[in-house]
């Protein structure tokens, strides 16, 4: 098998730890600075954080049957309108990812996942383990973009090395 439930749990904890650190880094910026267009793919720091949140929500709707976010990729940067709204939605989504990972069994990672992809405009079917790996990789990719924008804005960006993740929570 490509991945295991233990891998998913480690990555869910890593995700929550990283997002908690990102939340604290955001506190160094006001709403205007968070929303400033920084010429990134999703515009601003908040826009990129929103896209990441939207992606996690869309994947969890497919994996665990949680609520699907409004809109598509194009609208994802405006998923939440403020840091406060983002923090609440991020906390809830990270809790859902952690709960899903804690309950995951090896059989849940087997087989195919099928869904309609608005990104490619058709039905898609891919191995479940590949889709789960993609969700965690997508998180890391966009948090790296946020990390770069925070650094450019003069904010001390969080430690992102998986090897230095605390061995115990709190994760949220």
């Amino acid at each position: 098998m490509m991945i295991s439930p233990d891998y998913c749990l480690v990555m869910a904890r890593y995700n929550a730890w990283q997002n908690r650190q990102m939340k604290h880094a955001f506190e160094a910026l006001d709403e205007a600075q968070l929303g400033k267009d920084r010429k990134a793919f999703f515009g601003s720091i908040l826009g990129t954080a929103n896209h990441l949140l939207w992606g996690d929500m869309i994947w969890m709707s497919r994996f665990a049957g949680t609520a699907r976010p409004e809109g598509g990729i194009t609208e994802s940067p405006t998923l939440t309108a403020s840091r406060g709204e983002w923090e609440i939605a991020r906390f809830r989504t990270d809790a859902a990812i952690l709960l899903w990972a804690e309950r995951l069994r090896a059989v849940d990672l087997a087989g195919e996942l099928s869904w309609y992809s608005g990104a490619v405009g058709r039905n898609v079917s891919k191995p479940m383990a590949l889709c789960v790996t993609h969700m965690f990789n997508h998180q890391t990719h966009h948090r790296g973009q946020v990390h770069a924008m925070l650094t450019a804005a003069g904010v001390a960006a969080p430690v992102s090395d998986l090897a230095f993740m605390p061995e115990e929570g709190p994760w949220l």
Side-chain angles (χ1 to χ4, degrees):
M1 177 171 285
M2 181 176 183
I3 58 172
S4 69
D6 287 341
Y7 166 83
C8 294
L9 184 57
V10 167
M11 295 309 293
R13 289 174 175 167
Y14 175 72
N15 171 65
W17 173 58
Q18 287 299 289
N19 289 330
R20 189 165 38 95
Q21 288 188 91
M22 204 161 61
K23 172 186 157 300
H24 293 305
F26 286 2
E27 292 169 358
L29 300 171
D30 62 29
E31 294 288 341
Q33 292 170 311
L34 282 172
K36 178 182 176 184
D37 185 356
R38 297 179 186 275
K39 309 300 182 207
F41 193 79
F42 292 102
S44 66
I45 293 170
L46 184 59
T48 304
N50 272 329
H51 170 73
L52 173 52
L53 173 62
W54 179 89
D56 287 349
M57 292 171 75
I58 201 79
W59 283 111
M60 289 311 297
S61 74
R62 295 168 183 155
F63 300 157
T66 58
R68 187 184 188 287
E70 295 293 321
I73 292 172
T74 304
E75 296 84 19
S76 67
T78 60
L79 183 64
T80 66
S82 68
R83 175 177 48 228
E85 284 182 34
W86 176 84
E87 288 176 6
I88 292 166
R90 184 75 263 176
F91 180 86
R92 287 180 177 154
T93 302
D94 288 347
I97 294 170
L98 280 165
L99 184 60
W100 167 79
E102 288 168 354
R103 294 177 174 171
L104 200 61
R105 299 168 301 149
V107 68
D108 299 324
L109 296 168
E112 298 281 310
L113 177 68
S114 298
W115 73 98
Y116 177 81
S117 169
V120 296
R122 61 180 166 82
N123 289 323
V124 177
S125 186
K126 297 287 180 183
M128 178 68 163
L130 179 71
C131 294
V132 171
T133 303
H134 169 74
M135 179 185 74
F136 292 125
N137 189 60
H138 183 259
Q139 293 168 346
T140 301
H141 168 70
H142 288 300
R143 273 194 305 265
Q145 293 174 326
V146 170
H147 190 283
M149 287 186 278
L150 286 169
T151 302
V155 176
V159 172
S160 61
D161 296 317
L162 179 60
F164 301 123
M165 179 175 75
E167 301 216 4
E168 296 186 21
W171 307 112
L172 297 173

